[in-house]
Amino acid sequence: MMLRRASQDPSQLGAAAARRMLDVAVEEARAGLAEGGIPIGAALFDPAGALLGRGHNRRVQDDDPSVHAETAAFRAAGRQRTYRGATMVTTLAPCWYCSGLVRQFGISRLVVGEARTFSGGQKWLATEAGVEVAVLDDPTCASLMVDFIAARPDLWAEDIGADPAST
């Protein structure tokens, strides 16, 4: 497990707990792909490790550009008094929009399945926002994205706001 150091050592979460949490997000990513969408999943856990909410990217399915995996998990968690100590787990490094959500609501930890296909804002969260970030470099997460990007480069470019010609 590759760790990026922030204000505290993210290894306190533990590799087994991070893996268990990532498994929930991977299930969501697979569900999104099966629905014809983008295979990115996320889950939000409370400080004790209990699942608060889970979701997957539904931009295509809902024709709504704001339904990213992290926002879907956040919405599914419902209103919480605080998000301090919570862990957001996502199969892919979060985009700037989702990184902003983590920062805005003070989510303490971020577990990223892979950041090879998209680096997003996790470095900013770790270095500037004080979020504990663990990048697992998970082969399943990477494979889901590599295969999807090869099959649907147009949809991937749309999802990340890139020029389709550049992907």
Side-chain angles (χ1 to χ4, degrees), residues 1 47 50 56 58 63 70 73 81 120 122 135-136 140-141 148-149 160:
M1 171 167 62
H56 52 272
R58 296 193 52 83
D63 197 27
E70 297 87 346
R81 289 186 56 84
Q122 93 269 355
V135 179
L136 303 183
T140 300
C141 294
F148 176 78
I149 293 167
I160 61 173

Side-chain angles (χ1 to χ4, degrees), residues 8 20 41 53 55 62-63 76 89 97 137 143:
Q8 296 177 337
R20 177 184 57 80
D62 294 353
D63 197 27
V89 182
Y97 169 58
D137 200 24
S143 178

Side-chain angles (χ1 to χ4, degrees), residues 67-87:
V67 188
H68 292 209
E70 297 87 346
T71 60
F74 186 73
R75 287 176 172 168
R79 182 177 167 204
Q80 306 293 315
R81 289 186 56 84
T82 183
Y83 297 91
R84 304 271 180 240
T87 301

Side-chain angles (χ1 to χ4, degrees), residues 118-137:
F118 184 74
S119 61
Q122 93 269 355
K123 288 181 184 177
W124 171 77
L125 286 167
T127 60
E128 303 294 326
V131 175
E132 299 171 23
V133 177
V135 179
L136 303 183
D137 200 24

